[in-house]
């Protein structure tokens, strides 16, 4: 095409793009081998190939274009995840934790800079930059560590979402701080008010117009039309907001929110994922290109001071915000250290400050170097944060929780400690209460603790990784400890501490991942229930029932597969033949209880009339009427509906007895002998 080709027939844009992609693939592979987040790999790629590195890409306009497009897609993807439903899930962390962290970080950073005689507008602007943390890095790290659903994971999601939302007013306020013409306080307020009206309008459109448009697009069953529609929504809204004097990023963010409120948002996210990943990587690569390595080395002392200062302020404020919300010190420490880096959206705000003249070019280079330094330190901080939190929490001056009053078990066998008062914890507590087994629950979710106490449950707010908390739950005299939380490292610590405090307590742990079974067992757990395998067992049980496989065979299969911590499911090719093991189990004897209902074969018949032993091989060893058991019942005992029969026999004999007993009344008496 005319205007695109050079004298040598090449396309400069395509050449630079190929260089960027090739370097990104190479560096990202190295980052993966080193277990570093891809974002850090992209930043290093930009530093390596940029004008201040090897100089493979030197066009500043091209670099800026890549960064701008990357920001648009990055903000669009964040808007897609910024749904009202997700906001409700982390509401307290979003509104309270986010506001405390943002106000505290901005205020603290600004106060420090004012002490070094920085102008007030610049100090406030630097406070803005310090507030934001990296959503991309933290979500990736916590997802890889399977800690998204942990207390610290949910807290981080709430604070990060609040920070992402703050980026919009920060962008609007930056020109006013720069003293641009037409940016008086009243005009800024008017622009913010206008922006609020736009947001309100977007939500109205999202609830009325967008679902119909997306429904019409989806009804065509044309995948490419959905992709084009999503691209049009993101880029189109970006252009619209820019025409009103706002940034492209703001429009992309609003477009993402608009689409997220439709029932097809998950499909849009799936279709947009490749574009988001490509252009987000281009954004971070472009940021790396902008860093002047020589300047950063020459001013290494200033950069190091900025890195240490920013991370210290952010960790202290974020940790303090978590403590203010009632989280224990361990969780607050993890959250504080995790949020200590400068985020990707700070680059967006910094670009605005650079363009408006508020931020000097030299300060911008210091910011870039410090931001990349904090990002590079994040994986290490996330990895060591639990250990640091545990050490701080174990200091002797830390307050000790008050013991919970636990009723003594009638049989003197001890009580049950339930760690995690979620769905499983509540169900277990309900069952234990119905059968009058004493128990105490433990959780880090304040709302769950309040609900439990309102229901009359003995429940304690505390961290199971603390010895003092387990003492308050009476772990030394407990019969069973059930751990149902998702924080793997907390589970390991809790199991080790509980086992050191009581050799007799039976520890049952629920885990989602099969890979965690061996470590939890080695820590001292008696039983580990893996959700992955239990769902598999439940599925095959229902399939076998559909094909009328005898219940005793199904139960035997499940027993074998659960044995030795699911060894046959985890080992190579099943670690041996399951069928042989099933036959061994079936050969063993067992007991079972049959409840007699009206119309069953046993209803109204005597034990002699049933002749169960001759007909099936199973033997009735007891009859339970109400709360009264009668062992070795006589042959003339007449069985009535509502009674329970205790049977003994092999699995096959028990199965045959159940088949006979569940039959109609006409099957009870044996056939008369021929005369």
């Amino acid at each position: 095409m005319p205007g695109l080709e050079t004298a040598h027939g090449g396309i400069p844009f395509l050449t630079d793009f190929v260089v960027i992609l090739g370097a990104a693939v190479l560096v990202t592979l190295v980052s993966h081998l080193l277990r570093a987040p891809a974002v850090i790999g992209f930043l290093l790629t930009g530093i390596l190939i940029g004008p201040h590195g090897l100089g493979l890409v030197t066009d500043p306009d091209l670099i800026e274009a890549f960064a701008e497009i990357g920001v648009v897609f990055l903000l669009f993807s964040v808007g897609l995840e910024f749904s009202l439903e997700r906001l409700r899930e982390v509401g307290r962390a979003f509104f309270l934790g986010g506001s405390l962290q943002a106000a505290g970080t901005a205020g603290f950073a600004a106060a420090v800079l004012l002490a070094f005689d920085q102008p007030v507008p610049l100090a406030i602007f630097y406070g803005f930059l310090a507030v934001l943390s990296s959503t991309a890095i933290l979500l990736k790290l916590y997802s890889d560590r399977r800690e998204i659903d942990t207390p610290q994971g949910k807290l981080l999601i709430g604070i990060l979402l609040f920070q992402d939302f703050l980026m919009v007013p920060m962008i609007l306020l930056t020109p006013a701080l720069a003293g641009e013409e037409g940016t008086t306080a009243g005009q800024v307020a008017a622009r913010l008010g206008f922006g609020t009206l736009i947001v309100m309008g977007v939500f109205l459109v999202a609830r009325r117009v967008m679902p119909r448009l997306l429904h019409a697009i989806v009804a065509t069953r044309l995948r490419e039309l959905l992709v084009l529609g999503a691209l049009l929504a993101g880029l189109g809204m970006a252009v619209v907001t820019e025409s009103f004097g706002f940034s492209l990023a703001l429009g992309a963010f609003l477009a993402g929110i608009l689409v997220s409120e439709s029932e097809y948002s998950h499909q849009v996210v799936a279709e947009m994922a490749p574009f988001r990943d490509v252009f987000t990587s281009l954004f971070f690569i472009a940021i790396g290109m902008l860093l002047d390595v020589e300047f950063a080395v020459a001013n290494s002392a200033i950069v190091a001071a900025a890195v240490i200062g920013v991370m210290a302020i952010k960790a202290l404020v974020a940790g303090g915000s978590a403590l203010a919300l009632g989280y224990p010190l361990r969780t607050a420490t993890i959250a504080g250290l995790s949020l200590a880096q400068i985020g990707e959206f700070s680059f967006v705000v910094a670009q605005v400050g650079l363009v408006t003249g508020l931020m000097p070019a030299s300060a911008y280079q210091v910011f870039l170097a410090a931001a990349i330094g904090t990002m590079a330190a994040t994986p290490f901080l996330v990895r060591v944060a639990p250990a640091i939190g545990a050490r701080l929490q174990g200091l002797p001056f830390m307050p000790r929780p008050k013991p919970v009053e636990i009723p003594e078990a009638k049989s003197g066998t001890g009580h049950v400690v339930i760690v995690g008062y979620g769905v499983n914890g509540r169900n277990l507590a309900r069952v234990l209460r119905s059968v009058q087994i004493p128990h105490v629950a433990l959780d880090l979710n304040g709302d769950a603790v309040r609900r439990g106490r309102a229901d009359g449950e003995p429940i304690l707010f505390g961290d199971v990784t603390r010895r003092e908390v387990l003492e308050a739950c009476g772990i030394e005299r407990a019969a069973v400890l059930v751990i149902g939380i998702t924080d793997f490292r907390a589970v390991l610590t809790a199991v080790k501490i509980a086992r050191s405090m009581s050799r007799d307590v039976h520890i049952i742990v629920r885990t989602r991942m099969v890979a965690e079974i061996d470590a939890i067992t080695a820590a001292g757990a008696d039983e580990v229930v893996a959700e992955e395998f239990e769902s598999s067992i439940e599925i095959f049980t229902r399939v076998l029932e559909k094909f009328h496989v005898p219940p005793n065979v199904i139960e035997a299969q499940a027993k074998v597969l659960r044995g030795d911590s699911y060894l046959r499911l985890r080992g190579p090719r099943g670690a041996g033949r399951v069928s042989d093991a099933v036959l061994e189990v079936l050969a063993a004897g067992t007991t079972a209880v049959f409840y007699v209902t009206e119309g069953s074969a046993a209803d109204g018949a005597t034990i002699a009339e049933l002749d169960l032993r001759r007909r099936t091989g199973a033997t009735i060893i007891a009859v339970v009427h109400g709360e009264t058991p009668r062992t070795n019942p006589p042959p003339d005992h007449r069985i009535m509906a509502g009674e329970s029969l205790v049977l003994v026999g092999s699995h096959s004999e028990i199965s045959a007895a159940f088949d006979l007993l569940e039959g109609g009344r006409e099957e009870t008496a044996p056939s008369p002998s021929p005369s």
Side-chain angles (χ1 to χ4, degrees):
M1 292 179 62
L4 288 179
E5 298 184 357
T6 65
H8 300 286
I11 304 176
F13 170 82
L14 183 59
T15 302
D16 290 340
F17 194 64
V18 170
V19 170
I20 291 172
L21 291 180
V25 169
L26 179 62
V27 177
T28 303
L29 283 174
V30 175
S31 299
H32 175 70
L33 294 175
L34 298 176
R35 296 186 178 182
V39 171
I40 296 177
F42 296 143
L43 290 169
L44 294 176
T45 301
I47 295 172
L48 181 67
I49 67 176
H52 304 291
L54 298 177
L56 300 179
V57 179
T58 58
D59 187 352
D61 294 332
L62 180 63
I63 296 172
E64 185 176 347
F66 279 152
E68 196 72 38
I69 295 174
V71 168
V72 168
F73 277 91
L74 192 61
L75 268 292
F76 182 63
S77 63
V78 170
L80 285 172
E81 298 174 356
F82 200 88
S83 63
L84 295 179
E85 182 62 31
R86 189 171 185 182
L87 183 59
R88 279 191 288 268
E89 293 177 359
V90 293
R92 191 163 177 265
F94 176 87
F95 290 107
L96 293 180
S99 58
L100 286 173
Q101 185 272 339
T105 303
F108 200 158
V112 171
L113 290 167
L114 288 173
F116 285 91
D117 297 326
Q118 292 291 328
V120 174
L122 196 57
I124 295 174
F125 176 73
Y126 288 153
F128 286 174
L129 299 182
V131 166
L132 305 175
S133 302
S134 178
T135 303
I137 292 178
L138 289 177
L139 289 186
K140 171 65 173 164
L141 286 173
Y142 270 73
S143 177
D144 291 344
R145 292 166 62 89
R146 300 185 293 273
E147 294 182 10
I148 290 292
D149 293 326
T150 61
Q152 59 265 27
K154 293 179 179 178
L155 174 62
L156 287 179
I157 289 176
I159 293 177
L160 289 171
L161 284 175
F162 188 84
Q163 291 178 359
D164 295 343
F165 184 77
L166 279 182
M167 192 202 65
V168 174
M170 286 179 182
I171 291 175
L172 296 178
L173 287 170
T174 298
L177 294 174
E180 282 191 352
E181 184 178 352
T183 55
T184 63
Q187 290 168 327
V188 170
R191 289 189 69 191
L192 286 174
F194 182 61
T196 303
L197 290 177
I198 290 179
V199 172
M200 294 174 61
V202 165
F203 279 110
L204 291 175
V205 171
R207 294 182 179 279
R208 295 184 180 275
V209 178
M210 183 55 70
R212 299 176 184 176
L213 293 176
L214 287 177
H215 180 74
I217 292 175
V218 172
T220 64
R221 299 182 181 275
L222 296 174
R223 179 183 175 187
E224 57 270 25
L225 186 59
L226 182 61
V227 174
L228 290 173
L231 287 171
L232 177 63
L235 298 176
M237 184 64 76
V239 172
V240 169
T241 55
E242 188 185 38
S243 66
F244 282 102
F246 297 99
S247 68
L248 290 169
L250 173 62
F253 179 69
L254 296 179
I257 296 177
L258 188 148
V259 175
S260 74
E261 291 304 304
S262 73
E263 60 183 306
Y264 306 108
S265 60
H266 296 292
Q267 184 62 31
V268 173
V269 171
E271 299 292 351
M272 291 296 296
F275 296 95
R276 177 196 62 195
D277 295 340
V278 169
F279 286 103
T280 298
S281 64
L282 290 179
F283 167 73
F284 286 108
I285 291 172
I287 294 301
M289 291 182 191
L290 296 173
L291 177 65
D292 188 339
V293 180
E294 291 184 4
F295 178 89
V297 173
N299 296 273
S300 56
I302 298 175
V303 172
V307 170
I308 295 172
V310 167
M311 297 184 75
I313 290 173
K314 298 196 68 173
L316 288 173
V317 174
S321 302
L323 289 174
L325 265 62
Y327 287 90
L329 183 57
R330 175 180 173 275
T331 303
T333 302
I334 295 173
L337 292 175
S338 297
L339 291 166
Q341 78 289 138
I342 294 174
E344 55 271 7
F345 295 141
S346 294
F347 295 118
V348 180
V349 180
Q351 283 281 353
V352 178
L354 186 65
V355 171
T356 58
L358 177 62
M359 191 179 195
S362 59
Y364 181 71
Q365 285 298 323
V366 172
F367 160 76
L368 285 177
I372 293 173
T374 61
M375 287 181 170
T378 298
F380 172 75
L381 289 177
V382 171
R383 189 160 53 246
V384 301
I388 295 175
R391 286 184 175 274
L392 292 176
Q393 198 164 242
L395 294 175
F397 56 80
M398 292 299 298
R400 299 174 66 89
K402 296 180 180 179
V404 180
E405 293 185 6
I406 308 167
E408 291 292 338
K410 294 180 179 179
S411 60
T413 56
H415 60 280
V416 178
V417 179
I418 306 170
V419 180
Y421 199 66
V423 174
N424 291 328
R426 289 196 300 272
N427 289 337
L428 176 57
R430 187 179 301 114
V431 172
L432 293 176
R433 186 170 60 248
S434 66
V435 295
Q436 298 182 338
I437 295 178
H439 59 277
V440 59
L442 178 66
D443 205 293
L444 275 176
N445 187 325
D447 294 333
V449 172
R450 283 189 288 273
R451 286 195 301 268
R453 288 175 178 170
D455 294 338
E457 288 289 347
I459 186 169
L460 178 69
F461 178 88
D463 189 345
V464 70
T465 62
R466 291 188 63 185
R467 179 178 294 268
E468 296 83 0
V469 172
L470 286 172
E471 286 179 356
C473 294
I475 193 65
E476 295 93 343
R477 62 181 189 277
V480 180
L481 169 64
V482 180
I483 303 178
I485 58 178
T486 55
D487 189 339
F488 171 61
R489 287 157 186 83
V491 169
L492 284 182
T493 303
V495 170
K496 291 177 182 177
I497 294 175
R499 181 56 69 209
S500 68
M501 297 174 69
S502 173
R503 305 305 303 175
D504 298 325
V505 64
H506 189 80
I507 302 176
I508 303 173
V509 179
R510 183 210 71 185
T511 180
R512 293 183 176 180
M513 308 301 296
V514 175
E516 299 171 351
I517 294 177
D518 289 337
I520 296 173
T521 303
D526 295 289
E527 296 182 55
V528 182
V529 180
E531 291 185 0
E532 286 183 327
F533 285 154
E534 285 300 322
S535 60
S536 300
I537 293 173
E538 180 66 21
I539 289 172
F540 92 66
T541 296
R542 297 183 182 226
V543 171
L544 295 181
E545 288 175 348
K546 187 69 177 177
F547 284 91
H548 306 292
V549 175
N552 63 305
V553 176
I554 299 176
E555 291 174 8
Q557 290 274 7
K559 182 177 180 180
V560 168
L561 293 177
R562 289 190 177 104
D564 295 326
S565 298
Y566 310 94
L567 181 61
R568 295 181 184 276
L569 288 175
R570 297 160 58 203
R573 299 185 180 274
R577 295 180 59 189
V578 176
S579 58
D580 292 341
V582 170
L583 292 176
E584 294 176 7
V585 174
L586 291 177
T590 187
T591 59
V593 177
F594 180 84
Y595 181 78
V596 181
T597 59
E598 292 185 4
S600 71
D603 184 17
T606 65
I607 293 178
E609 290 173 343
L610 279 177
D611 199 12
L612 200 62
R613 184 170 185 177
R614 182 185 65 82
R615 300 169 71 183
T616 67
T619 302
I620 300 176
I621 60 172
V623 177
V624 181
H625 183 81
E627 299 293 331
T628 305
R630 185 176 184 182
T631 58
N632 297 319
D636 60 350
H637 174 83
R638 192 166 298 279
I639 304 167
M640 305 302 295
E643 292 182 331
S644 297
L645 308 180
V646 182
L647 310 176
V648 66
S650 68
H651 287 271
S652 59
E653 292 168 345
I654 293 292
S655 180
F658 268 61
D659 289 341
L660 187 148
L661 293 170
E662 289 171 351
R665 180 68 184 88
E666 65 276 8
E667 300 178 13
T668 55
S671 301
S673 302
S675 54

